[in-house]
Amino acid sequence: FFSLLNVVLFFSCVLTTFASNYEWDFEISQGGEAWSPVLVGEPKILISKDVTPHPEAETMESNNNIAGVVFENRTFLGWRSAPAHFAGTDTKIYIVSSEDDGVTWEMETTIFLGRDL
């Protein structure tokens, strides 16, 4: 139950963030303007089989379905980690957050149900 509650809260944050940005996104699109990212420095790998943002998030061979969102001045990342890209019983979903733009990360939760997620 605790893990399910965390997932619901995470997606609630995501949906709230999308809803709060809808009006200005719509206004920009109607004005013919477009948003484009500005790179500051080289890209940094946050998640791979050899790299993890937090030591409690033990990444496996396959890390996918990565999602990120900023909510109330915190950056949240969630991703699926498994021994293979295909369904398996060892699959986990990790959710971490940062309040310093990714310099340090806090573990929010690990979801493990003994089946694929």
Side-chain angles (χ1 to χ4, degrees), residues 57-105:
E58 299 175 7
T59 56
M60 295 181 247
E61 191 70 25
S62 179
N63 298 282
N64 47 37
N65 300 328
I66 299 169
V69 66
V70 176
F71 179 74
E72 294 185 359
N73 297 318
R74 289 189 74 82
T75 303
F76 289 85
L77 292 178
W79 74 97
R80 174 191 180 273
S81 190
H85 182 72
F86 305 101
T89 58
D90 296 325
T91 302
K92 295 179 181 180
I93 291 180
Y94 295 109
I95 300 174
V96 296
S97 70
S98 174
E99 63 182 1
D100 56 13
D101 295 324
V103 175
T104 59
W105 293 93

Side-chain angles (χ1 to χ4, degrees), residues 11-74:
F11 286 107
S12 174
C13 292
V14 170
L15 293 175
T16 301
T17 300
F18 287 149
S20 67
N21 294 330
Y22 174 78
E23 287 183 19
W24 62 264
D25 281 344
F26 182 75
E27 184 178 318
I28 289 171
S29 70
Q30 295 302 302
E33 299 177 44
W35 178 86
S36 62
V38 176
L39 296 179
V40 179
E42 293 296 315
K44 179 180 176 184
I45 296 174
L46 296 175
I47 302 164
S48 77
K49 68 179 183 177
D50 301 317
V51 177
T52 181
H54 193 278
E56 290 179 35
E58 299 175 7
T59 56
M60 295 181 247
E61 191 70 25
S62 179
N63 298 282
N64 47 37
N65 300 328
I66 299 169
V69 66
V70 176
F71 179 74
E72 294 185 359
N73 297 318
R74 289 189 74 82

